[in-house]
Amino acid sequence: MGASLIARWIGHAHATGLLERDRKVHYHAVGLAYGTQEAVVTDLVDDRLTMAAAVFDAARPELATTVADAVADADKAVRALAALARDLARAAGGRDGVEGAGTAAASAGYAALGARYRTWLALLDADADTDATRAAWQAAVWAEVRDAAARLVRSAGEAAWKGRGTGADRVNSAIAENRFRRNVFKGLPRAFATPIGATDR
């Protein structure tokens, strides 16, 4: 996590007791993305996050690492979901829509996980067990993408169940779903050490 002057001040204030141990801060990030020759604004970032001031405390570096790693976990899960969507599109006989299917699945995945991340981050506190917290996050991510994957498989239809190709190039819904699960298992190993249903409430 990059440390801006404000973030460093928050960390210092927390470490020296100027901020209460359980103090929450509201982080507001604003940014612009420019197009060719910086003549046109192509994107605007305006995001707000609530998190523990302890995340910025140099005495608790594991908190900042956990926060950053949680973002990487979400990225891995979304990439697996997008790959599933592309495989299902191929299995159904699609050609032109393969990349579009992956992009749509990724967008939906990021939107869903973004909401979960905000809640998870807001609940993280100075005394958090980072190993348990990371495992709980991975389990929550798995629950989200598992349900999204099931919807994708159902909507792929009979053509995808029958599949396309032969040999190593063959893909159908079952093969695509197995690939997806392997990818998620590799990317989110801690999710599968958490009892099933523990994060589905």
Side-chain angles (χ1 to χ4, degrees):
M1 173 179 291
S4 67
L5 287 175
I6 293 175
R8 288 200 295 271
W9 183 89
I10 293 171
H12 172 74
H14 187 269
T16 57
L18 291 175
L19 292 176
E20 300 90 339
R21 182 172 178 77
D22 59 352
R23 178 67 179 268
K24 300 288 185 179
V25 296
H26 305 287
Y27 209 77
H28 186 188
V30 179
L32 299 175
Y34 293 95
T36 305
Q37 298 179 346
E38 299 187 352
V40 178
V41 174
T42 58
D43 198 9
L44 168 67
V45 174
D46 186 350
D47 204 1
R48 299 170 188 266
L49 294 170
T50 297
M51 67 188 82
V55 169
F56 302 100
D57 191 334
R60 292 295 312 275
E62 68 276 13
L63 286 176
T65 297
T66 299
V67 167
D69 287 345
V71 174
D73 291 337
D75 283 337
K76 292 172 186 175
V78 169
R79 286 198 297 270
L81 191 64
L84 170 65
R86 290 192 295 269
D87 279 346
L88 290 171
R90 292 188 190 97
R95 293 183 179 179
D96 297 336
V98 170
E99 290 304 318
T103 299
S107 295
Y110 279 124
L113 289 175
R116 285 225 183 200
Y117 183 77
R118 283 168 172 75
T119 300
W120 173 85
L121 184 60
L123 293 174
L124 188 69
D125 60 39
D127 299 313
D129 178 332
T130 52
D131 287 337
T133 298
R134 178 88 181 280
W137 168 247
Q138 288 196 3
V141 172
W142 164 235
E144 192 69 52
V145 296
R146 178 192 63 205
D147 292 347
R151 290 191 296 270
L152 287 173
V153 171
R154 285 196 301 270
S155 65
E158 185 177 351
W161 278 109
K162 292 179 179 179
R164 293 290 188 279
T166 58
D169 293 328
R170 178 160 179 74
V171 61
N172 58 24
S173 293
I175 292 171
E177 190 170 13
N178 283 338
R179 287 176 182 168
F180 164 75
R181 288 178 176 271
R182 285 197 302 270
N183 287 337
V184 175
F185 184 82
K186 181 178 179 181
L188 308 175
R190 302 183 189 199
F192 300 94
T194 300
I196 294 174
T199 62
D200 292 347
R201 292 187 293 273

